């Protein structure tokens, strides 16, 4: 199958994404407006009949002082990754990006290698010899994913450093997902562990109410988010980032981004943002106050978001990044413990891959990044 690649309009790109059952929220055209400090381009792959069969959002970041760029396709491009002629998809992309002044290309194939169900993870946590998720036997393995990795290596792509838990700008290698397809809401609720079910009940009894907010409630979101950042020792994004995210994503599709608050006695004690692309729904950012944790607002909020995702016809509710550490002394262990309680699955993606178009500049970037 012969493929041609060219720049496409945002409208063409969006129409293609809308024709799919799902795609990453970082591959919708509006994501370029969220990442406004990057230059962007929409790429399209066309087959011999002239039909659009793949798309990619490329973000370009200029190197200090020279007109050369890092080209980045977060969780993309959206192509047929299992195609036997994967080279025919990626070679024209590399040629095009080089022509655009890119010295290196970074991409994140949306390909899952392994999954572990909650029971497997729990047994891993209970085993003192197991320190990492990859030490636990996977519940499901996608053999084709290994072929994709092999093809990429043969073409000269290099596997990036492990993305860890997906904090900051690196995409998470490990995520936690609750599958919704072919399950009733009752099945989903039954899948929760005892603690989760108890906490949902506790929140209900205490009178916790979960409501949706709008753009005007983002400062209230920010207040809770900054409390969380201080408590969990991470650098918060500014309010302007979430305002830009809301405006950009919901202008493209009025149901792309949602904001939720867990209220107790007329006070917002937890909040979260939710992103929707086709059948894939993400819980993307979460926040909570330091007090009233005993009324379990976060559990109540997740249960509401899960029910809403289900009502939208979602096939998966994605709780985003986890670390692969199963060590109880690890500072990120609480995150996986909280998410495992939903009865979902941990999934490992292929991770991010780099193609150095100019080896010298690529090396310089590596050194620059390691010093930051």
């Amino acid at each position: 199958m012969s493929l041609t690649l060219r720049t496409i309009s945002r409208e063409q790109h969006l129409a293609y994404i809308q024709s799919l059952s799902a795609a990453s929220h970082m591959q919708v055209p509006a994501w370029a407006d969220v990442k406004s400090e990057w230059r962007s381009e929409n790429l399209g792959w066309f087959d011999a009949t002239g039909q659009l069969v793949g798309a990619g959002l490329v973000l370009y970041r200029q190197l200090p002082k020279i007109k050369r760029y890092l080209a980045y396709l977060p969780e993309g491009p959206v192509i047929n990754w299992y195609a036997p002629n994967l080279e025919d998809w990626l070679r024209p992309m590399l040629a095009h990006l080089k022509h655009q002044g890119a010295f290196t290309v970074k991409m994140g194939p949306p390909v899952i290698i392994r999954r572990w169900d909650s029971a497997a993870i729990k047994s891993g946590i209970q085993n003192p010899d197991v320190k990492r998720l990859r030490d636990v036997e996977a519940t499901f393995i996608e053999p084709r994913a290994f072929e994709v990795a092999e093809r990429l290596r043969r073409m000269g792509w290099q596997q990036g450093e492990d993305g860890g838990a997906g904090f900051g700008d690196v995409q998470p290698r490990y995520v936690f997902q609750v599958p919704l397809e072919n399950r009733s809401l009752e099945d989903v609720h039954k899948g929760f562990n005892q603690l989760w079910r108890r906490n949902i009940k506790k929140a209900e009894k205490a009178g916790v109410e979960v409501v949706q907010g709008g753009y005007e409630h983002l400062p209230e979101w920010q207040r809770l988010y900054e409390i969380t950042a201080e408590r969990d020792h991470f650098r918060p994004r500014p309010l302007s980032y979430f305002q830009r995210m809301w405006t950009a994503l919901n202008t493209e599709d009025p149901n792309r981004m949602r904001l939720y608050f867990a209220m107790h006695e007329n006070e917002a004690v937890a909040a979260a943002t939710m992103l929707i692309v086709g059948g894939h729904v993400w819980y993307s950012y979460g926040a909570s106050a330091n007090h009233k944790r005993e009324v379990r607002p976060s559990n109540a909020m997740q249960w509401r978001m899960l029910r809403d995702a289900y009502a939208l016809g979602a096939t998966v509710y994605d709780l985003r990044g986890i670390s692969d550490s199963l060590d109880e002394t690890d500072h990120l262990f609480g995150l996986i413990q909280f998410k495992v309680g939903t009865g979902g699955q941990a999934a490992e993606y292929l991770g991010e891959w780099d193609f150095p178009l100019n080896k010298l500049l690529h090396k310089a970037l590596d050194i620059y990044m390691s010093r930051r």
Side-chain angles (χ1 to χ4, degrees):
M1 157 166 130
S2 69
L3 293 164
T4 50
L5 176 128
R6 61 175 181 267
T7 305
I8 56 174
S9 70
R10 286 181 66 142
E11 290 72 31
Q12 281 173 293
H13 186 171
L14 181 61
Y16 180 70
I17 295 287
Q18 285 168 336
S19 75
L20 305 173
S21 58
S24 169
H25 60 276
M26 294 182 194
Q27 280 295 307
V28 300
W31 193 252
D33 303 327
V34 179
K35 297 290 171 189
S36 54
E37 69 278 20
W38 299 65
R39 178 167 74 82
S40 68
E41 185 184 14
N42 308 82
L43 295 182
W45 280 259
F46 294 84
D47 67 11
T49 68
Q51 186 161 342
L52 185 60
V53 289
L57 174 69
V58 189
L59 302 173
Y60 293 98
R61 172 69 68 90
Q62 192 174 343
L63 264 189
K65 301 191 178 66
I66 56 170
K67 278 201 92 109
R68 299 301 291 279
Y69 302 88
L70 157 69
Y72 183 33
L73 294 99
E75 297 187 3
V78 185
I79 59 173
N80 177 9
W81 284 95
Y82 300 125
N85 62 333
L86 190 59
E87 295 82 356
D88 297 348
W89 291 80
L90 297 178
R91 279 214 185 94
M93 179 181 90
L94 290 172
H96 176 87
L97 298 175
K98 189 173 189 171
H99 185 70
Q100 292 286 333
F103 68 90
T104 193
V105 180
K106 186 185 269 301
M107 64 176 184
V111 173
I112 287 174
I113 317 182
R114 302 179 185 88
R115 293 182 189 275
W116 295 264
D117 65 20
S118 293
I121 301 166
K122 269 181 223 153
S123 68
I125 291 170
Q126 283 154 7
N127 183 343
D129 297 333
V130 169
K131 292 285 179 243
R132 304 220 155 261
L133 199 49
R134 63 182 71 162
D135 300 333
V136 177
E137 193 181 334
T139 316
F140 167 81
I141 289 180
E142 173 53 84
R144 296 181 303 169
F146 296 95
E147 284 174 37
V148 174
E150 194 43 48
R151 283 193 184 119
L152 292 176
R153 274 189 208 100
R154 277 207 303 267
M155 285 176 69
W157 288 87
Q158 301 167 1
Q159 196 152 19
E161 286 308 300
D162 208 324
F167 300 106
D169 274 336
V170 182
Q171 299 323 311
R173 175 87 180 261
Y174 296 90
V175 299
F176 203 87
Q177 301 177 336
V178 180
L180 300 176
E181 208 170 9
N182 303 323
R183 294 176 78 195
S184 68
L185 262 182
E186 200 184 346
D187 290 338
V188 176
H189 188 263
K190 270 190 195 142
F192 288 160
N193 69 12
Q194 234 174 336
L195 185 65
W196 261 80
R197 291 203 298 265
R198 213 168 40 232
N199 286 345
I200 290 167
K201 209 172 239 162
K202 202 181 248 181
E204 226 172 277
K205 261 201 182 116
V208 172
E209 209 187 334
V210 181
V211 298
Q212 264 184 260
Y215 179 86
E216 67 279 14
H217 302 112
L218 284 169
E220 180 60 10
W221 147 264
Q222 190 70 17
R223 182 185 70 78
L224 286 167
Y225 172 63
E226 283 175 14
I227 290 169
T228 308
E230 198 176 327
R231 183 176 67 234
D232 295 346
H233 313 292
F234 65 85
R235 209 169 83 215
R237 292 192 182 276
L239 173 61
S240 58
Y241 180 80
F242 293 102
Q243 289 173 326
R244 192 164 68 238
M245 199 171 165
W246 182 278
T247 306
L249 296 178
N250 287 336
T251 300
E252 179 176 276
D253 180 330
N255 202 23
R256 186 77 83 219
M257 179 176 176
R258 289 184 178 190
L259 180 61
Y260 287 85
F261 290 99
M263 309 291 294
H264 186 253
E265 294 168 341
N266 292 326
E267 179 191 6
V269 285
T273 60
M274 183 160 117
L275 300 175
I276 301 150
V277 184
H280 203 129
V281 171
W282 292 263
Y283 152 58
S284 67
Y285 285 89
S288 60
N290 290 331
H291 63 300
K292 294 202 170 175
R293 294 168 85 80
E294 71 286 351
V295 298
R296 304 298 176 197
S298 295
N299 299 89
M301 187 168 62
Q302 288 296 341
W303 177 226
R304 162 74 193 268
M305 288 164 73
L306 250 165
R307 292 200 316 267
D308 285 4
Y310 189 88
L312 287 166
T315 54
V316 62
Y317 179 73
D318 196 323
L319 291 126
R320 289 294 282 167
I322 50 170
S323 130
D324 83 324
S325 173
L326 298 182
D327 181 355
E328 297 191 19
T329 60
D330 191 298
H331 73 291
L332 292 171
F333 177 73
L335 196 65
I336 191 166
Q337 205 175 25
F338 177 75
K339 294 177 180 181
V340 164
T342 61
Q345 312 166 331
E348 179 190 357
Y349 278 91
L350 263 190
E352 296 200 318
W353 292 70
D354 299 306
F355 196 100
L357 294 163
N358 177 320
K359 292 197 167 65
L360 204 68
L361 286 176
H362 179 82
K363 189 96 191 111
L365 177 80
D366 266 356
I367 295 166
Y368 169 72
M369 292 307 279
S370 66
R371 285 187 185 151
R372 284 181 65 183

